[in-house]
Amino acid sequence: MMKKLLFFILMFATQLTFAEKATDILDKAAAKFRAAGDVKIGFQASTDNGSTMGFIDIAGNKFHCDMAGTIVWFDGKTMWHYVKSNEEVNVTTPTVAQAAKLNPYSFISLYKKGYICKMGKSTNAYHEIILTGKKGSAYQTIVVHLEKSSYKPLYVKTETQKVVTKITVNSYLTKQNFSADTFIFNKKDFPKAEVVDLR
């Protein structure tokens, strides 16, 4: 009986250590990300429906994401979601969870609330962190590969009930200087687009 009790205590302590290590690594990655200033990331995203290339500009909680068929602007409050195929822009005021689903790098701010963090199968080149969402979280699971030398993201896999998205980072430019207009939809650039205000 005593041996079983000691075994469970050891297992519990080990799990706590792994959770603390995962959180520590994400803390360092978040600090590096904030210190990087405005960031421009080129990536390839794939789902069961195929793959596409794109880029995302990030400044704090603002982002501008451009992929084949879709462009999203988010100024921290209002989101504009443009679908090229039907020339339509939906305007919303999303919740944090809704905004997170359109920002593949939202794990940088999400991991401290609503997720259980643990170490995955890391290699000599990267740390693998697995985030499991609690009830109401934007994602069921997020798997992140962070480069060991720089803590920058190399790969992100997000999973909801309906979609699994895999994102591979192709380029990562720091110290960019985006204007406020970068994160706001400009009707003059899309004169044929129908704007649907859903706020």
Side-chain angles (χ1 to χ4, degrees), residues 58-116:
I58 304 174
N61 67 337
K62 303 174 184 179
F63 67 89
H64 167 231
C65 187
D66 192 339
M67 294 184 290
T70 303
I71 306 175
V72 179
W73 298 261
F74 181 60
D75 67 358
K77 179 182 178 181
T78 303
M79 180 177 288
W80 296 263
H81 190 168
Y82 171 60
V83 180
K84 297 177 183 178
S85 60
N86 60 9
E87 289 286 353
E88 183 175 288
V89 179
N90 289 325
V91 186
T92 60
T93 304
T95 63
V96 172
Q98 289 169 338
K101 287 183 178 179
L102 291 170
N103 179 358
Y105 299 96
S106 57
F107 71 88
I108 288 293
S109 59
L110 288 180
Y111 72 95
K112 286 193 173 183
K113 186 176 181 180
Y115 290 86
I116 298 170

Side-chain angles (χ1 to χ4, degrees), residues 2-19:
M2 183 60 70
K3 286 183 179 180
K4 285 186 178 179
L5 182 60
L6 288 172
F7 173 76
F8 284 121
I9 291 173
L10 181 61
M11 287 295 291
F12 180 69
T14 301
Q15 288 175 357
L16 282 178
T17 300
F18 284 158

Side-chain angles (χ1 to χ4, degrees), residues 109-147:
S109 59
L110 288 180
Y111 72 95
K112 286 193 173 183
K113 186 176 181 180
Y115 290 86
I116 298 170
C117 306
K118 68 177 183 179
M119 297 299 299
K121 296 179 180 178
S122 301
T123 70
N124 290 331
Y126 62 79
H127 299 288
E128 181 177 81
I129 310 292
I130 300 171
L131 289 77
T132 303
K134 298 177 183 178
K135 186 176 180 180
S137 299
Y139 301 104
Q140 288 181 317
T141 307
I142 304 174
V143 178
V144 184
H145 292 176
L146 297 167
E147 187 176 59

Side-chain angles (χ1 to χ4, degrees), residues 153-187:
L154 301 174
Y155 170 85
V156 181
K157 181 175 79 171
T158 60
E159 183 175 348
T160 66
Q161 290 183 340
K162 297 181 180 180
V163 181
V164 175
T165 303
K166 299 176 182 179
I167 297 164
T168 302
V169 175
N170 298 323
S171 61
Y172 189 88
L173 301 175
T174 62
K175 304 298 183 182
Q176 304 296 293
N177 188 20
F178 302 126
S179 68
D181 293 341
T182 303
F183 310 102
I184 299 173
F185 170 75
N186 188 339
K187 184 68 169 69

